[in-house]
Amino acid sequence: MLINNDTIIKDTDERIRQVSEDVELPLSAEDESLLRDMFQYVVDSTDEEKAEKFNLRPAVGISAIQVGVPKKMTAIVVDDTDKNGNPIRYEFMLVNPKIVSSSIQQAYLSAGEGCLSVVSEHEGYVPRSARVKVRAFDLVTNQYIEIRAAGYLAIVLQHELDHFKGILFYDHINAKDPYRQIPGAIEI
Ligand code: CO
């Protein structure tokens, strides 16, 4: 599937609010091909030359509903640092991911969140769980995995899994006081 900034569904299109369904495993050829195309989009989107040439907006994740397919599939590429401060790249092609536990402690991005499906500015803090445990089938490693995520990766996972419920990041922003402090939250 051709995925670029023109084909990605925006929040002005009500399909972005659709609830996604479980995907049958093993993956059909069609589902696998879509998930690989989504992953390639995310990888290419942070390559300046490719982004310019193919009209890609930089992203760390994309979910299938954003290309009009209401199925629980998401591709994520996150560059972060591990607990020793060394650079680490997380790459996932997740099928039917599910949050099985989440911390009470919250976290938020100080710069706010962005989304390929959101063009207009929505400033404010998006409260998320600081840590989540996610179970999924992962096409990168071709096995069932459990991800124990904290920090930025935890936020990206929650953002993408929200898309399965038709939820967008700004739904979580306090409308009256977008920068209201979140008690005990970790700022990222
Ligand atoms: Co998004």
Side-chain angles (χ1 to χ4, degrees), residues 61 66 114-117 159-160 163 168-169:
Q66 295 181 275
C115 180
L116 291 170
S117 296
H159 176 116
E160 294 308 324
H163 277 300
L168 297 168
F169 73 86

Side-chain angles (χ1 to χ4, degrees), residues 95-113:
V95 181
N96 301 334
K98 205 178 160 186
I99 294 172
V100 292
S101 69
S102 47
S103 66
I104 292 165
Q105 186 179 33
Q106 295 192 296
Y108 62 95
L109 299 182
S110 57
E113 296 188 19

Side-chain angles (χ1 to χ4, degrees), residues 80-88 90:
D80 205 352
T81 48
D82 67 13
K83 54 180 187 280
N84 301 315
N86 300 313
I88 182 166
Y90 299 104

Side-chain angles (χ1 to χ4, degrees), residues 53-65:
K53 191 171 166 195
F54 299 117
N55 182 27
L56 316 176
R57 212 176 135 202
V60 291
I62 188 171
S63 290
I65 190 59

Side-chain angles (χ1 to χ4, degrees), residues 177-188:
D177 187 3
Y179 291 103
R180 185 161 74 178
Q181 286 303 313
I182 306 158
I186 300 170
E187 184 182 88
I188 296 166

